[in-house]
Amino acid sequence: MRVAWRALWREVTAAAHGAARAWAGPCRERDLAVQALKAALAAWVAWALAGWWLHAPVAFVAPWVAVVLVESTVYRSIAHGLQQLAAVAAGTIVATAVAPAVHSTVAAMAVVLPLAMLLGQWRRLGSQGIYAATGALFVLTGGSVTVTTSAARLAEAFFGAAVGIAVNALVRPPLYVRDSRAVLRDATQEAHDILRAVAEGLAEGRWDAEEAGARHERALRLHRLVEQARSSVAWSRESLRGNLRRRRTGAVPPPGEGYDDAVVVLDYAAVHTAGVTRTVLEAAAEDRAAPRPHPELARRYAEFLHRTAHALRLYSHSRFGDDRGDELRAAVARLRATLDELRRDLVRSTRDDPDEVATYGALLAQAHRLADQLVVSGA
């Protein structure tokens, strides 16, 4: 019981924090609250017009369709609306054709529902295919089955879809460019922090296996942040399709090549960071097979990591904040010079030990890949 109360308290606390963030300023929580209110508004408008004003015979269909079509993007509302209407129409037509010939609701369900479910698997209906069975059930369980009643259901579904799409498109249509910037900045900041932490450990000669393992875990999680960033950029582009709010306000530029470049750079940074932390972890292990780098070489590599972290931060600012392109180009030039010095030092210091050559070669290859990507993106 105590565990259940603690879990409930955590949920309540998280909800309270989310509400506070939504009240304080623009954020994901506020976007979700706005979409919830818009869905309620769409359902109310659809019912007020279809049920209260027009006294439609099956008015409940209009608010039901309207509320589910206030989607996360305007484009998705339109696309899913068309698919849902097609699915509902298919199920309604099949049920209307079969039910009068069977004269039993139970028997009609046994015949119609398998057909409706098969129709719902048509790939062009996408995730809305299930509504073929829903439309059929509305016909079969709604009393007498007539062509007039089925036509009224379809008309109400079309009306509800129009209301839902209109509300989503006209009342503060959702934009997610801000979310993409936030995710990209978070991923860049995490890559910066990991590289700085590894660099400090190498510069101070700390070879703690537990500490190295924690950094490697963070580096592996960085890949998930990059994937979230890639998904967020695609989501942002979709939110701008057919969005009138973008035309009215011009508040945010669309995610262009800068966003794609940022995802590519972060992908390289994630791979590089995971490789570095894995190599350091192997060298820090007590029963290590790989040799530890010489202290002077470790300090050189730490300097390279510091410069890499600094260049990543400048890259983030230049893409999504201040215009710091000149600083970025200068930082990338210093990074390249440091890499050249590091390569020469490794060539002079490496002996004929194959394990040592493999360790240094892995570190150097990872450094080259990230530096090359930053040179191209920062040019």
Side-chain angles (χ1 to χ4, degrees), residues 29-65:
E29 287 79 5
R30 176 176 287 189
D31 291 338
L32 292 174
V34 169
Q35 288 300 102
L37 292 174
K38 285 167 57 178
L41 173 64
W44 181 84
V45 170
W47 174 257
L49 293 176
W52 177 72
W53 186 33
L54 298 176
H55 300 287
V58 281
F60 72 93
V61 176
W64 169 69
V65 174

PDB file of all heavy atoms in Angstrom, residues 29-65:
ATOM      1  N   GLU A  29       4.023  20.811 -22.557  1.00  0.00           N
ATOM      2  CA  GLU A  29       2.833  20.624 -21.738  1.00  0.00           C
ATOM      3  C   GLU A  29       1.727  21.598 -22.132  1.00  0.00           C
ATOM      4  O   GLU A  29       0.544  21.238 -22.175  1.00  0.00           O
ATOM      5  CB  GLU A  29       3.173  20.791 -20.250  1.00  0.00           C
ATOM      6  CG  GLU A  29       3.967  19.646 -19.654  1.00  0.00           C
ATOM      7  CD  GLU A  29       5.446  19.707 -20.004  1.00  0.00           C
ATOM      8  OE1 GLU A  29       5.857  20.710 -20.632  1.00  0.00           O
ATOM      9  OE2 GLU A  29       6.185  18.760 -19.667  1.00  0.00           O
ATOM     10  N   ARG A  30       2.104  22.847 -22.450  1.00  0.00           N
ATOM     11  CA  ARG A  30       1.086  23.806 -22.878  1.00  0.00           C
ATOM     12  C   ARG A  30       0.489  23.394 -24.212  1.00  0.00           C
ATOM     13  O   ARG A  30      -0.723  23.518 -24.420  1.00  0.00           O
ATOM     14  CB  ARG A  30       1.688  25.205 -22.976  1.00  0.00           C
ATOM     15  CG  ARG A  30       0.718  26.233 -23.514  1.00  0.00           C
ATOM     16  CD  ARG A  30       1.283  27.633 -23.516  1.00  0.00           C
ATOM     17  NE  ARG A  30       1.354  28.192 -22.175  1.00  0.00           N
ATOM     18  CZ  ARG A  30       1.650  29.465 -21.921  1.00  0.00           C
ATOM     19  NH1 ARG A  30       1.917  30.299 -22.930  1.00  0.00           N
ATOM     20  NH2 ARG A  30       1.699  29.901 -20.691  1.00  0.00           N
ATOM     21  N   ASP A  31       1.322  22.897 -25.121  1.00  0.00           N
ATOM     22  CA  ASP A  31       0.810  22.426 -26.408  1.00  0.00           C
ATOM     23  C   ASP A  31      -0.217  21.303 -26.214  1.00  0.00           C
ATOM     24  O   ASP A  31      -1.257  21.273 -26.876  1.00  0.00           O
ATOM     25  CB  ASP A  31       1.956  21.929 -27.288  1.00  0.00           C
ATOM     26  CG  ASP A  31       2.865  23.061 -27.744  1.00  0.00           C
ATOM     27  OD1 ASP A  31       2.416  24.221 -27.744  1.00  0.00           O
ATOM     28  OD2 ASP A  31       4.027  22.777 -28.082  1.00  0.00           O
ATOM     29  N   LEU A  32       0.087  20.361 -25.314  1.00  0.00           N
ATOM     30  CA  LEU A  32      -0.847  19.261 -25.058  1.00  0.00           C
ATOM     31  C   LEU A  32      -2.157  19.776 -24.467  1.00  0.00           C
ATOM     32  O   LEU A  32      -3.245  19.311 -24.841  1.00  0.00           O
ATOM     33  CB  LEU A  32      -0.203  18.247 -24.102  1.00  0.00           C
ATOM     34  CG  LEU A  32       0.977  17.456 -24.664  1.00  0.00           C
ATOM     35  CD1 LEU A  32       1.605  16.606 -23.566  1.00  0.00           C
ATOM     36  CD2 LEU A  32       0.537  16.580 -25.831  1.00  0.00           C
ATOM     37  N   ALA A  33      -2.068  20.748 -23.548  1.00  0.00           N
ATOM     38  CA  ALA A  33      -3.279  21.306 -22.947  1.00  0.00           C
ATOM     39  C   ALA A  33      -4.132  22.018 -23.995  1.00  0.00           C
ATOM     40  O   ALA A  33      -5.363  21.878 -24.017  1.00  0.00           O
ATOM     41  CB  ALA A  33      -2.900  22.272 -21.824  1.00  0.00           C
ATOM     42  N   VAL A  34      -3.473  22.755 -24.877  1.00  0.00           N
ATOM     43  CA  VAL A  34      -4.213  23.460 -25.928  1.00  0.00           C
ATOM     44  C   VAL A  34      -4.907  22.468 -26.853  1.00  0.00           C
ATOM     45  O   VAL A  34      -6.076  22.650 -27.236  1.00  0.00           O
ATOM     46  CB  VAL A  34      -3.266  24.382 -26.720  1.00  0.00           C
ATOM     47  CG1 VAL A  34      -3.947  24.906 -27.978  1.00  0.00           C
ATOM     48  CG2 VAL A  34      -2.808  25.542 -25.852  1.00  0.00           C
ATOM     49  N   GLN A  35      -4.215  21.394 -27.237  1.00  0.00           N
ATOM     50  CA  GLN A  35      -4.823  20.401 -28.116  1.00  0.00           C
ATOM     51  C   GLN A  35      -6.016  19.727 -27.442  1.00  0.00           C
ATOM     52  O   GLN A  35      -7.019  19.431 -28.101  1.00  0.00           O
ATOM     53  CB  GLN A  35      -3.782  19.360 -28.527  1.00  0.00           C
ATOM     54  CG  GLN A  35      -2.740  19.862 -29.521  1.00  0.00           C
ATOM     55  CD  GLN A  35      -3.351  20.337 -30.819  1.00  0.00           C
ATOM     56  OE1 GLN A  35      -3.496  21.538 -31.044  1.00  0.00           O
ATOM     57  NE2 GLN A  35      -3.731  19.406 -31.680  1.00  0.00           N
ATOM     58  N   ALA A  36      -5.918  19.482 -26.131  1.00  0.00           N
ATOM     59  CA  ALA A  36      -7.050  18.880 -25.410  1.00  0.00           C
ATOM     60  C   ALA A  36      -8.259  19.817 -25.414  1.00  0.00           C
ATOM     61  O   ALA A  36      -9.405  19.381 -25.645  1.00  0.00           O
ATOM     62  CB  ALA A  36      -6.628  18.554 -23.980  1.00  0.00           C
ATOM     63  N   LEU A  37      -8.021  21.091 -25.176  1.00  0.00           N
ATOM     64  CA  LEU A  37      -9.118  22.062 -25.188  1.00  0.00           C
ATOM     65  C   LEU A  37      -9.718  22.188 -26.588  1.00  0.00           C
ATOM     66  O   LEU A  37     -10.941  22.326 -26.742  1.00  0.00           O
ATOM     67  CB  LEU A  37      -8.613  23.421 -24.707  1.00  0.00           C
ATOM     68  CG  LEU A  37      -8.222  23.499 -23.222  1.00  0.00           C
ATOM     69  CD1 LEU A  37      -7.605  24.855 -22.914  1.00  0.00           C
ATOM     70  CD2 LEU A  37      -9.450  23.258 -22.345  1.00  0.00           C
ATOM     71  N   LYS A  38      -8.873  22.137 -27.621  1.00  0.00           N
ATOM     72  CA  LYS A  38      -9.375  22.221 -28.986  1.00  0.00           C
ATOM     73  C   LYS A  38     -10.235  21.004 -29.330  1.00  0.00           C
ATOM     74  O   LYS A  38     -11.255  21.131 -30.026  1.00  0.00           O
ATOM     75  CB  LYS A  38      -8.208  22.347 -29.959  1.00  0.00           C
ATOM     76  CG  LYS A  38      -7.559  23.716 -29.971  1.00  0.00           C
ATOM     77  CD  LYS A  38      -6.235  23.706 -30.701  1.00  0.00           C
ATOM     78  CE  LYS A  38      -6.366  23.224 -32.119  1.00  0.00           C
ATOM     79  NZ  LYS A  38      -5.077  23.268 -32.839  1.00  0.00           N
ATOM     80  N   ALA A  39      -9.835  19.814 -28.873  1.00  0.00           N
ATOM     81  CA  ALA A  39     -10.638  18.623 -29.130  1.00  0.00           C
ATOM     82  C   ALA A  39     -12.012  18.752 -28.481  1.00  0.00           C
ATOM     83  O   ALA A  39     -13.045  18.408 -29.085  1.00  0.00           O
ATOM     84  CB  ALA A  39      -9.907  17.384 -28.613  1.00  0.00           C
ATOM     85  N   ALA A  40     -12.022  19.253 -27.246  1.00  0.00           N
ATOM     86  CA  ALA A  40     -13.305  19.464 -26.565  1.00  0.00           C
ATOM     87  C   ALA A  40     -14.149  20.499 -27.309  1.00  0.00           C
ATOM     88  O   ALA A  40     -15.375  20.343 -27.455  1.00  0.00           O
ATOM     89  CB  ALA A  40     -13.060  19.909 -25.123  1.00  0.00           C
ATOM     90  N   LEU A  41     -13.503  21.575 -27.779  1.00  0.00           N
ATOM     91  CA  LEU A  41     -14.223  22.593 -28.530  1.00  0.00           C
ATOM     92  C   LEU A  41     -14.807  22.026 -29.815  1.00  0.00           C
ATOM     93  O   LEU A  41     -15.964  22.314 -30.169  1.00  0.00           O
ATOM     94  CB  LEU A  41     -13.278  23.754 -28.859  1.00  0.00           C
ATOM     95  CG  LEU A  41     -13.822  24.844 -29.787  1.00  0.00           C
ATOM     96  CD1 LEU A  41     -14.997  25.550 -29.124  1.00  0.00           C
ATOM     97  CD2 LEU A  41     -12.727  25.830 -30.164  1.00  0.00           C
ATOM     98  N   ALA A  42     -14.033  21.216 -30.530  1.00  0.00           N
ATOM     99  CA  ALA A  42     -14.519  20.621 -31.774  1.00  0.00           C
ATOM    100  C   ALA A  42     -15.741  19.742 -31.518  1.00  0.00           C
ATOM    101  O   ALA A  42     -16.735  19.794 -32.264  1.00  0.00           O
ATOM    102  CB  ALA A  42     -13.415  19.813 -32.439  1.00  0.00           C
ATOM    103  N   ALA A  43     -15.681  18.925 -30.461  1.00  0.00           N
ATOM    104  CA  ALA A  43     -16.825  18.068 -30.133  1.00  0.00           C
ATOM    105  C   ALA A  43     -18.050  18.907 -29.780  1.00  0.00           C
ATOM    106  O   ALA A  43     -19.176  18.598 -30.194  1.00  0.00           O
ATOM    107  CB  ALA A  43     -16.454  17.138 -28.986  1.00  0.00           C
ATOM    108  N   TRP A  44     -17.844  19.983 -29.010  1.00  0.00           N
ATOM    109  CA  TRP A  44     -18.966  20.843 -28.607  1.00  0.00           C
ATOM    110  C   TRP A  44     -19.603  21.520 -29.814  1.00  0.00           C
ATOM    111  O   TRP A  44     -20.835  21.565 -29.947  1.00  0.00           O
ATOM    112  CB  TRP A  44     -18.463  21.887 -27.614  1.00  0.00           C
ATOM    113  CG  TRP A  44     -19.538  22.797 -27.109  1.00  0.00           C
ATOM    114  CD1 TRP A  44     -20.406  22.574 -26.087  1.00  0.00           C
ATOM    115  CD2 TRP A  44     -19.877  24.101 -27.650  1.00  0.00           C
ATOM    116  NE1 TRP A  44     -21.257  23.639 -25.941  1.00  0.00           N
ATOM    117  CE2 TRP A  44     -20.962  24.589 -26.888  1.00  0.00           C
ATOM    118  CE3 TRP A  44     -19.365  24.864 -28.693  1.00  0.00           C
ATOM    119  CZ2 TRP A  44     -21.537  25.826 -27.145  1.00  0.00           C
ATOM    120  CZ3 TRP A  44     -19.935  26.099 -28.949  1.00  0.00           C
ATOM    121  CH2 TRP A  44     -21.008  26.579 -28.185  1.00  0.00           C
ATOM    122  N   VAL A  45     -18.767  22.056 -30.698  1.00  0.00           N
ATOM    123  CA  VAL A  45     -19.290  22.725 -31.899  1.00  0.00           C
ATOM    124  C   VAL A  45     -20.061  21.736 -32.767  1.00  0.00           C
ATOM    125  O   VAL A  45     -21.164  22.031 -33.261  1.00  0.00           O
ATOM    126  CB  VAL A  45     -18.140  23.372 -32.702  1.00  0.00           C
ATOM    127  CG1 VAL A  45     -18.636  23.847 -34.058  1.00  0.00           C
ATOM    128  CG2 VAL A  45     -17.545  24.536 -31.926  1.00  0.00           C
ATOM    129  N   ALA A  46     -19.497  20.545 -32.964  1.00  0.00           N
ATOM    130  CA  ALA A  46     -20.156  19.545 -33.808  1.00  0.00           C
ATOM    131  C   ALA A  46     -21.507  19.141 -33.228  1.00  0.00           C
ATOM    132  O   ALA A  46     -22.504  19.022 -33.958  1.00  0.00           O
ATOM    133  CB  ALA A  46     -19.249  18.320 -33.962  1.00  0.00           C
ATOM    134  N   TRP A  47     -21.571  18.941 -31.909  1.00  0.00           N
ATOM    135  CA  TRP A  47     -22.843  18.559 -31.287  1.00  0.00           C
ATOM    136  C   TRP A  47     -23.834  19.721 -31.295  1.00  0.00           C
ATOM    137  O   TRP A  47     -25.029  19.533 -31.553  1.00  0.00           O
ATOM    138  CB  TRP A  47     -22.622  18.083 -29.865  1.00  0.00           C
ATOM    139  CG  TRP A  47     -23.910  17.824 -29.147  1.00  0.00           C
ATOM    140  CD1 TRP A  47     -24.523  18.599 -28.206  1.00  0.00           C
ATOM    141  CD2 TRP A  47     -24.784  16.715 -29.358  1.00  0.00           C
ATOM    142  NE1 TRP A  47     -25.696  18.049 -27.811  1.00  0.00           N
ATOM    143  CE2 TRP A  47     -25.891  16.878 -28.508  1.00  0.00           C
ATOM    144  CE3 TRP A  47     -24.726  15.600 -30.193  1.00  0.00           C
ATOM    145  CZ2 TRP A  47     -26.942  15.968 -28.463  1.00  0.00           C
ATOM    146  CZ3 TRP A  47     -25.769  14.691 -30.145  1.00  0.00           C
ATOM    147  CH2 TRP A  47     -26.857  14.876 -29.285  1.00  0.00           C
ATOM    148  N   ALA A  48     -23.342  20.933 -31.021  1.00  0.00           N
ATOM    149  CA  ALA A  48     -24.242  22.087 -30.999  1.00  0.00           C
ATOM    150  C   ALA A  48     -24.913  22.293 -32.353  1.00  0.00           C
ATOM    151  O   ALA A  48     -26.112  22.623 -32.426  1.00  0.00           O
ATOM    152  CB  ALA A  48     -23.459  23.347 -30.600  1.00  0.00           C
ATOM    153  N   LEU A  49     -24.163  22.098 -33.435  1.00  0.00           N
ATOM    154  CA  LEU A  49     -24.728  22.303 -34.766  1.00  0.00           C
ATOM    155  C   LEU A  49     -25.571  21.111 -35.210  1.00  0.00           C
ATOM    156  O   LEU A  49     -26.703  21.280 -35.696  1.00  0.00           O
ATOM    157  CB  LEU A  49     -23.601  22.547 -35.777  1.00  0.00           C
ATOM    158  CG  LEU A  49     -22.812  23.853 -35.591  1.00  0.00           C
ATOM    159  CD1 LEU A  49     -21.659  23.919 -36.594  1.00  0.00           C
ATOM    160  CD2 LEU A  49     -23.727  25.066 -35.760  1.00  0.00           C
ATOM    161  N   ALA A  50     -25.024  19.893 -35.043  1.00  0.00           N
ATOM    162  CA  ALA A  50     -25.725  18.714 -35.551  1.00  0.00           C
ATOM    163  C   ALA A  50     -26.866  18.272 -34.640  1.00  0.00           C
ATOM    164  O   ALA A  50     -27.961  17.934 -35.113  1.00  0.00           O
ATOM    165  CB  ALA A  50     -24.741  17.565 -35.743  1.00  0.00           C
ATOM    166  N   GLY A  51     -26.622  18.268 -33.331  1.00  0.00           N
ATOM    167  CA  GLY A  51     -27.625  17.755 -32.405  1.00  0.00           C
ATOM    168  C   GLY A  51     -28.609  18.793 -31.920  1.00  0.00           C
ATOM    169  O   GLY A  51     -29.826  18.579 -31.957  1.00  0.00           O
ATOM    170  N   TRP A  52     -28.100  19.940 -31.487  1.00  0.00           N
ATOM    171  CA  TRP A  52     -28.983  20.929 -30.869  1.00  0.00           C
ATOM    172  C   TRP A  52     -29.709  21.781 -31.906  1.00  0.00           C
ATOM    173  O   TRP A  52     -30.910  22.055 -31.785  1.00  0.00           O
ATOM    174  CB  TRP A  52     -28.152  21.822 -29.944  1.00  0.00           C
ATOM    175  CG  TRP A  52     -28.932  22.930 -29.310  1.00  0.00           C
ATOM    176  CD1 TRP A  52     -29.869  22.820 -28.321  1.00  0.00           C
ATOM    177  CD2 TRP A  52     -28.846  24.317 -29.637  1.00  0.00           C
ATOM    178  NE1 TRP A  52     -30.377  24.041 -28.004  1.00  0.00           N
ATOM    179  CE2 TRP A  52     -29.766  24.995 -28.802  1.00  0.00           C
ATOM    180  CE3 TRP A  52     -28.092  25.043 -30.557  1.00  0.00           C
ATOM    181  CZ2 TRP A  52     -29.937  26.365 -28.860  1.00  0.00           C
ATOM    182  CZ3 TRP A  52     -28.261  26.412 -30.606  1.00  0.00           C
ATOM    183  CH2 TRP A  52     -29.172  27.068 -29.764  1.00  0.00           C
ATOM    184  N   TRP A  53     -28.986  22.208 -32.949  1.00  0.00           N
ATOM    185  CA  TRP A  53     -29.589  23.117 -33.930  1.00  0.00           C
ATOM    186  C   TRP A  53     -30.323  22.366 -35.039  1.00  0.00           C
ATOM    187  O   TRP A  53     -31.486  22.628 -35.328  1.00  0.00           O
ATOM    188  CB  TRP A  53     -28.493  24.014 -34.514  1.00  0.00           C
ATOM    189  CG  TRP A  53     -28.998  25.092 -35.419  1.00  0.00           C
ATOM    190  CD1 TRP A  53     -30.198  25.759 -35.313  1.00  0.00           C
ATOM    191  CD2 TRP A  53     -28.355  25.603 -36.587  1.00  0.00           C
ATOM    192  NE1 TRP A  53     -30.325  26.660 -36.322  1.00  0.00           N
ATOM    193  CE2 TRP A  53     -29.218  26.603 -37.130  1.00  0.00           C
ATOM    194  CE3 TRP A  53     -27.144  25.345 -37.211  1.00  0.00           C
ATOM    195  CZ2 TRP A  53     -28.888  27.314 -38.273  1.00  0.00           C
ATOM    196  CZ3 TRP A  53     -26.806  26.065 -38.342  1.00  0.00           C
ATOM    197  CH2 TRP A  53     -27.674  27.040 -38.864  1.00  0.00           C
ATOM    198  N   LEU A  54     -29.647  21.384 -35.660  1.00  0.00           N
ATOM    199  CA  LEU A  54     -30.229  20.695 -36.800  1.00  0.00           C
ATOM    200  C   LEU A  54     -31.058  19.465 -36.413  1.00  0.00           C
ATOM    201  O   LEU A  54     -31.791  18.938 -37.246  1.00  0.00           O
ATOM    202  CB  LEU A  54     -29.119  20.268 -37.770  1.00  0.00           C
ATOM    203  CG  LEU A  54     -28.295  21.399 -38.382  1.00  0.00           C
ATOM    204  CD1 LEU A  54     -27.173  20.837 -39.241  1.00  0.00           C
ATOM    205  CD2 LEU A  54     -29.188  22.320 -39.214  1.00  0.00           C
ATOM    206  N   HIS A  55     -30.924  18.986 -35.160  1.00  0.00           N
ATOM    207  CA  HIS A  55     -31.659  17.798 -34.688  1.00  0.00           C
ATOM    208  C   HIS A  55     -31.442  16.607 -35.627  1.00  0.00           C
ATOM    209  O   HIS A  55     -32.396  15.937 -36.049  1.00  0.00           O
ATOM    210  CB  HIS A  55     -33.160  18.097 -34.558  1.00  0.00           C
ATOM    211  CG  HIS A  55     -33.470  19.195 -33.588  1.00  0.00           C
ATOM    212  ND1 HIS A  55     -33.363  19.036 -32.224  1.00  0.00           N
ATOM    213  CD2 HIS A  55     -33.861  20.490 -33.798  1.00  0.00           C
ATOM    214  CE1 HIS A  55     -33.683  20.173 -31.627  1.00  0.00           C
ATOM    215  NE2 HIS A  55     -33.993  21.075 -32.559  1.00  0.00           N
ATOM    216  N   ALA A  56     -30.183  16.378 -35.989  1.00  0.00           N
ATOM    217  CA  ALA A  56     -29.861  15.269 -36.882  1.00  0.00           C
ATOM    218  C   ALA A  56     -30.218  13.943 -36.212  1.00  0.00           C
ATOM    219  O   ALA A  56     -30.088  13.794 -34.984  1.00  0.00           O
ATOM    220  CB  ALA A  56     -28.384  15.294 -37.244  1.00  0.00           C
ATOM    221  N   PRO A  57     -30.646  12.946 -36.973  1.00  0.00           N
ATOM    222  CA  PRO A  57     -31.086  11.674 -36.366  1.00  0.00           C
ATOM    223  C   PRO A  57     -29.979  10.896 -35.663  1.00  0.00           C
ATOM    224  O   PRO A  57     -30.247  10.172 -34.705  1.00  0.00           O
ATOM    225  CB  PRO A  57     -31.649  10.897 -37.555  1.00  0.00           C
ATOM    226  CG  PRO A  57     -31.017  11.515 -38.766  1.00  0.00           C
ATOM    227  CD  PRO A  57     -30.845  12.957 -38.428  1.00  0.00           C
ATOM    228  N   VAL A  58     -28.756  10.994 -36.127  1.00  0.00           N
ATOM    229  CA  VAL A  58     -27.632  10.292 -35.484  1.00  0.00           C
ATOM    230  C   VAL A  58     -26.527  11.311 -35.186  1.00  0.00           C
ATOM    231  O   VAL A  58     -25.376  11.143 -35.599  1.00  0.00           O
ATOM    232  CB  VAL A  58     -27.118   9.128 -36.352  1.00  0.00           C
ATOM    233  CG1 VAL A  58     -28.010   7.916 -36.232  1.00  0.00           C
ATOM    234  CG2 VAL A  58     -26.970   9.560 -37.799  1.00  0.00           C
ATOM    235  N   ALA A  59     -26.885  12.358 -34.460  1.00  0.00           N
ATOM    236  CA  ALA A  59     -25.974  13.489 -34.244  1.00  0.00           C
ATOM    237  C   ALA A  59     -24.728  13.111 -33.466  1.00  0.00           C
ATOM    238  O   ALA A  59     -23.701  13.792 -33.561  1.00  0.00           O
ATOM    239  CB  ALA A  59     -26.709  14.618 -33.524  1.00  0.00           C
ATOM    240  N   PHE A  60     -24.765  12.014 -32.676  1.00  0.00           N
ATOM    241  CA  PHE A  60     -23.617  11.649 -31.851  1.00  0.00           C
ATOM    242  C   PHE A  60     -22.383  11.324 -32.699  1.00  0.00           C
ATOM    243  O   PHE A  60     -21.246  11.420 -32.226  1.00  0.00           O
ATOM    244  CB  PHE A  60     -23.951  10.448 -30.964  1.00  0.00           C
ATOM    245  CG  PHE A  60     -24.057   9.152 -31.717  1.00  0.00           C
ATOM    246  CD1 PHE A  60     -22.945   8.321 -31.843  1.00  0.00           C
ATOM    247  CD2 PHE A  60     -25.242   8.758 -32.305  1.00  0.00           C
ATOM    248  CE1 PHE A  60     -23.031   7.134 -32.531  1.00  0.00           C
ATOM    249  CE2 PHE A  60     -25.345   7.568 -33.001  1.00  0.00           C
ATOM    250  CZ  PHE A  60     -24.236   6.753 -33.119  1.00  0.00           C
ATOM    251  N   VAL A  61     -22.590  10.946 -33.972  1.00  0.00           N
ATOM    252  CA  VAL A  61     -21.455  10.601 -34.827  1.00  0.00           C
ATOM    253  C   VAL A  61     -20.576  11.826 -35.078  1.00  0.00           C
ATOM    254  O   VAL A  61     -19.344  11.719 -35.134  1.00  0.00           O
ATOM    255  CB  VAL A  61     -21.946  10.002 -36.155  1.00  0.00           C
ATOM    256  CG1 VAL A  61     -20.763   9.733 -37.095  1.00  0.00           C
ATOM    257  CG2 VAL A  61     -22.702   8.711 -35.908  1.00  0.00           C
ATOM    258  N   ALA A  62     -21.166  12.999 -35.222  1.00  0.00           N
ATOM    259  CA  ALA A  62     -20.394  14.206 -35.550  1.00  0.00           C
ATOM    260  C   ALA A  62     -19.382  14.565 -34.466  1.00  0.00           C
ATOM    261  O   ALA A  62     -18.196  14.738 -34.767  1.00  0.00           O
ATOM    262  CB  ALA A  62     -21.342  15.371 -35.817  1.00  0.00           C
ATOM    263  N   PRO A  63     -19.785  14.695 -33.188  1.00  0.00           N
ATOM    264  CA  PRO A  63     -18.761  15.016 -32.179  1.00  0.00           C
ATOM    265  C   PRO A  63     -17.751  13.899 -31.977  1.00  0.00           C
ATOM    266  O   PRO A  63     -16.585  14.163 -31.647  1.00  0.00           O
ATOM    267  CB  PRO A  63     -19.583  15.257 -30.908  1.00  0.00           C
ATOM    268  CG  PRO A  63     -20.878  14.598 -31.140  1.00  0.00           C
ATOM    269  CD  PRO A  63     -21.133  14.698 -32.614  1.00  0.00           C
ATOM    270  N   TRP A  64     -18.176  12.651 -32.161  1.00  0.00           N
ATOM    271  CA  TRP A  64     -17.232  11.535 -32.014  1.00  0.00           C
ATOM    272  C   TRP A  64     -16.116  11.637 -33.043  1.00  0.00           C
ATOM    273  O   TRP A  64     -14.932  11.502 -32.724  1.00  0.00           O
ATOM    274  CB  TRP A  64     -17.993  10.214 -32.168  1.00  0.00           C
ATOM    275  CG  TRP A  64     -17.095   9.025 -32.288  1.00  0.00           C
ATOM    276  CD1 TRP A  64     -16.300   8.485 -31.316  1.00  0.00           C
ATOM    277  CD2 TRP A  64     -16.869   8.244 -33.467  1.00  0.00           C
ATOM    278  NE1 TRP A  64     -15.610   7.402 -31.821  1.00  0.00           N
ATOM    279  CE2 TRP A  64     -15.944   7.235 -33.129  1.00  0.00           C
ATOM    280  CE3 TRP A  64     -17.381   8.294 -34.764  1.00  0.00           C
ATOM    281  CZ2 TRP A  64     -15.517   6.296 -34.047  1.00  0.00           C
ATOM    282  CZ3 TRP A  64     -16.959   7.349 -35.683  1.00  0.00           C
ATOM    283  CH2 TRP A  64     -16.035   6.369 -35.325  1.00  0.00           C
ATOM    284  N   VAL A  65     -16.457  11.895 -34.316  1.00  0.00           N
ATOM    285  CA  VAL A  65     -15.433  12.028 -35.343  1.00  0.00           C
ATOM    286  C   VAL A  65     -14.619  13.298 -35.132  1.00  0.00           C
ATOM    287  O   VAL A  65     -13.394  13.304 -35.289  1.00  0.00           O
ATOM    288  CB  VAL A  65     -16.083  12.028 -36.745  1.00  0.00           C
ATOM    289  CG1 VAL A  65     -15.039  12.323 -37.820  1.00  0.00           C
ATOM    290  CG2 VAL A  65     -16.745  10.688 -37.022  1.00  0.00           C
TER     291      VAL A  65
END
